[in-house]
Amino acid sequence: MTSFSLFEIFLDLAYSWTRMFIALLLSILFSLTVGILAARNKRAEAIIVPLLDVFQSIPILGFFPIVILGVIAIIPSQIGVDLSVILLIFTSLAWNITFGVYEAVKSIPHDYIELSLMPDVGAWRRITNLYIPASISRIAYNTETSWAVGLFYLISSEILTLGKSSYTVTHGIGVAIITFASANDWTGYTYSIISLLVAVVVWQFVFLREFALWSERYKFVEEPRGARHDPLMRFYSWMTHKSISKLFLYSHSRGVTKFSSTFYRFKDGIKYSIVILLAIFIAFELGALWNLNIGLPTHLPSVASIFSTEKNVIVALAYSFVRIWYVYFFCVMVGVPLGIGVSLNSKLYDGLTPVIETIASVPAPALLPAIALVTHQGELVAAIIIFLGMIWYIVFNVMAGIRSLPAELFELRSIFHISRVQAWRDIYLPAAATAFVSGSIVAIGAAWNTLIVAEFFIVSGSTPITQVQAGIGKTIALATNQGDLLSLTLAVLSMTALIVTFNLVVWRRVYHYTTKRYAYNR
Amino acid sequence: MTLFPRENLVHKSMVILSSNYASSGFEAKAGKDNVSEQAFQGPVVDVERISLEFTKERDQLPVLADISMTALQDQFVSITGPSGCGKSSLLRIIAGLHKTTSGIVKFKGTEITQPRSEIAMIFQNFVLLPWRTALENVTFALSAKRELSEDEKRERAMKMLDHVGLKGFENVFPGELSGGMKQRVGIARALALEPEVLLMDEPFSSLDDLTAGLLRKEVYSLLINPSSSIQAVIMVSHNVEEVVELSDKVVVLSQRPAHVVGEMDITLPRPRERKSPDFYTWMDKIYSLLA
């Protein structure tokens, strides 16, 4: 590679990082405003917390095409494209950080609040001298842990906008990766992947870690972190914990989170999801109406066309559902033994964790061109991408789960002279069960997000690099390329409905059963 | 849980134990133990000049410095010292779970290099398998005993649960038991192995005061009695009161790196009255070594 290309790659990295950074700043501003409001105002809390909850559990990537169509309609220029990329990254960071601020302000010791309510302390001073400092450590913590997910959305969104020439991201590391790949420049491709990796590691050390260390001084109390100080691993388990509590907030049996009381009125989970879906649907219909004036869809869809489109969508959903579950099966076969095996051996754990973390930090979509080069089987390519998008959640959760258990539990094996086979059956596998189920829930959720890239991938108008026969990701990608707002809306809504229903009907029960039966609390 | 009047405690439980074991071939076992007792005259556990260092970020952290101690036949030995001084590490070395930097531990004259089936352990936090019932937790400990059939393991586990006062709780999961009952399962699990040495790592410190007090009153006669296989007990504890209440001998360790600052035979007659002036005198002796 010439130095000129390396400079180009560096420039692309700078573009991408600027987007990430702007999105991060916006997320922090948003989280401070909304998080503090929700924590200090009962009425705002009742609205904001459920809303954040919904935003967290929908597959963001599926909505991206709709977002970009909307934003481009308002600002039809390069700025519009950049804005929608930033918006997408924002949506992957903001809710987590907002929850962090909300919880931080909520948990300020009562004495401090009373002190700040003294007559000569104004509201602004209270915010700048108490609420914001109290939130800083959580913001830093959540930033560090959300960065990887933001990166995934950055790369995906940069790639996704390539579909239609009218709105294309012109610079960015994701763009570079795909451009090199489509030009068959595999040296350039390798260089850009390595540059991305180096950037991730360097950023971790020069910014994220420093930010986290600096924020330590704002902590009210020391929290013991145990074995969970690897940021990425912490991210996966933390992210899981968050999503799980979000999903099951409105169940009475377990106080998963402190603020579940706001959900008590949503006694019936199904009713809850229907209300949300209806609200989203109305929002999109309004959006469609509004787009009508801009001229994107020329007419509102007829009932008949809704039904015939929905029929295709359901078939596609079925394909994707089966696809995700058979890939999940492979993830379990690899991820569980890997996670347990690595965690059981301290030397292996210390040596391998950084390696696994580095591998895991490569966003799966960036690898797609290379995989598509090796095999032209669309189904296989999709399976590999889904696999890569899913497995780390299982591996890291199982690892965190095993490492959080007391060492004595593993001493039982030597003290009672238990055989290896029996130890796996009676100690290790049951001990990993709760972490494994939590990891699985989030892994399946993440898998739905990767579909849009995994099932259909096209670069600037040419024939697709890879595609499967049918799938919801393909439906969404195709609809985006063709500007078919009806298919797009129905596909995204049906996918969301399936995910929410499945979570409520299946995962929730599995989760409760496992925590009841297998949770290790002495 | 029935509490026997203190004076009769040892005697009555002995009667109960022997009637319990009358039909299960335990006498034969006890007889065999007597033979081995006669065969080996020295200390049951002999800790010889143990040192331990941890390597942390290229620094050598000395934890234990040249520690020697013994547990003689039928002796209840306590190891006490300031928190974080390495008491638990020492116990794990005796259990064969940790390696030493230098020095050896002998069980009846043989060096301990790995966990032995003659040595059982009771943990501070019980460490029961939450996904197994009380009974299954006890039989789990017997997994490696190939000479026993499944029925025999089950029978022995039932007896042990009965012995520690958990009759009727065999099929309950640990999550549904109180702390005291969990530790009783832990004791039953250790006793089911018919160990010759029992190691206890802060066995009462996860329990509330009342529960711990009740369990302490029973535990000595549960462990050391003529029909028990146990020949020596080594307990790690930071609670001076329970040390005086239970031990025949106490070994006091210093701050890190821990060395032995004192060793005393507690000659108070049993059962020991916690409110008696003699009891306080012994506690003061230990406190003066700790300070």
Side-chain angles (χ1 to χ4, degrees), chain A residues 353-376:
Chain A
T353 310
V355 179
I356 299 179
E357 282 182 350
T358 314
I359 300 172
S361 65
V362 186
L367 295 177
L368 192 135
I371 296 164
L373 192 74
V374 179
T375 170
H376 295 291

Side-chain angles (χ1 to χ4, degrees), chain A residues 149-469:
Chain A
V149 88
L151 215 61
F152 175 85
Y153 286 106
L154 169 86
I155 302 290
S156 306
S157 60
E158 284 182 355
I159 292 172
L160 281 175
T161 53
L162 288 171
K164 228 179 180 184
S165 54
S166 58
Y167 39 82
T168 300
V169 182
T170 47
H171 292 281
I173 190 67
V175 182
I177 288 168
I178 298 308
T179 317
F180 280 126
S182 59
N184 270 322
D185 181 352
W186 298 103
T187 329
Y189 174 81
T190 315
Y191 269 92
S192 34
I193 295 267
I194 293 171
S195 314
L196 173 63
L197 268 181
V198 171
V200 169
V201 175
V202 169
W203 184 252
Q204 172 68 40
F205 280 99
V206 301
F207 178 75
L208 294 177
R209 184 155 296 181
E210 290 302 312
F211 188 26
L213 285 176
W214 168 78
S215 74
E216 292 275 321
R217 73 180 73 168
Y218 291 101
K219 268 187 186 160
F220 278 105
V221 275
E222 273 308 310
E223 295 159 52
R225 288 262 171 247
R228 299 189 174 191
H229 41 239
D230 309 295
L232 197 66
M233 185 162 138
R234 207 173 62 192
F235 155 69
Y236 277 99
S237 49
W238 170 85
M239 166 97 174
T240 304
H241 172 74
K242 280 282 116 178
S243 325
I244 299 293
S245 34
K246 297 292 119 20
L247 280 176
F248 303 117
L249 267 182
Y250 31 92
S251 71
H252 290 245
S253 48
R254 280 183 164 266
V256 184
T257 57
K258 282 167 272 173
F259 42 90
S260 53
S261 58
T262 46
F263 283 89
Y264 277 179
R265 58 203 149 107
F266 297 111
K267 279 194 175 159
D268 187 349
I270 304 294
K271 213 189 289 170
Y272 176 48
S273 53
I274 287 173
V275 169
I276 293 161
L277 285 177
L278 233 102
I280 296 172
F281 186 72
I282 290 166
F284 279 115
E285 284 299 306
L286 286 177
L289 261 174
W290 181 78
N291 272 337
L292 189 69
N293 304 329
I294 305 295
L296 258 173
T298 46
H299 56 86
L300 275 178
S302 70
V303 177
S305 67
I306 289 181
F307 271 104
S308 70
T309 312
E310 181 62 20
K311 215 169 75 189
N312 296 335
V313 164
I314 287 173
V315 172
L317 260 181
Y319 269 91
S320 293
F321 188 83
V322 173
R323 187 170 294 128
I324 284 178
W325 278 91
Y326 87 74
V327 176
Y328 169 75
F329 175 78
F330 286 108
C331 281
V332 174
M333 298 313 286
V334 178
V336 173
L338 181 70
I340 294 179
V342 168
S343 315
L344 285 181
N345 183 328
S346 279
K347 282 206 185 93
L348 205 62
Y349 177 83
D350 292 339
L352 272 184
T353 310
V355 179
I356 299 179
E357 282 182 350
T358 314
I359 300 172
S361 65
V362 186
L367 295 177
L368 192 135
I371 296 164
L373 192 74
V374 179
T375 170
H376 295 291
Q377 297 277 325
E379 191 59 52
L380 185 59
V381 176
I384 295 172
I385 296 293
I386 298 169
F387 182 89
L388 290 175
M390 200 158 29
I391 184 144
W392 306 117
Y393 287 99
I394 293 175
V395 173
F396 287 122
N397 268 290
V398 167
M399 279 166 76
I402 293 280
R403 296 296 287 196
S404 70
L405 295 169
E408 288 99 330
L409 188 64
F410 304 103
E411 290 177 350
L412 289 184
R413 189 192 156 200
S414 1
I415 284 186
F416 300 136
H417 302 269
I418 305 293
S419 70
R420 188 178 297 272
V421 175
Q422 201 197 347
W424 275 80
R425 194 192 65 203
D426 287 348
I427 307 179
Y428 308 150
L429 288 174
T434 41
F436 164 69
V437 169
S438 320
S440 297
I441 297 174
V442 186
I444 298 279
W448 286 105
N449 254 328
T450 60
L451 285 182
I452 187 167
V453 179
E455 289 184 343
F456 183 87
F457 197 73
I458 195 164
V459 178
S460 50
S462 59
T463 47
I465 296 181
T466 175
Q467 61 174 323
V468 294
Q469 202 194 339

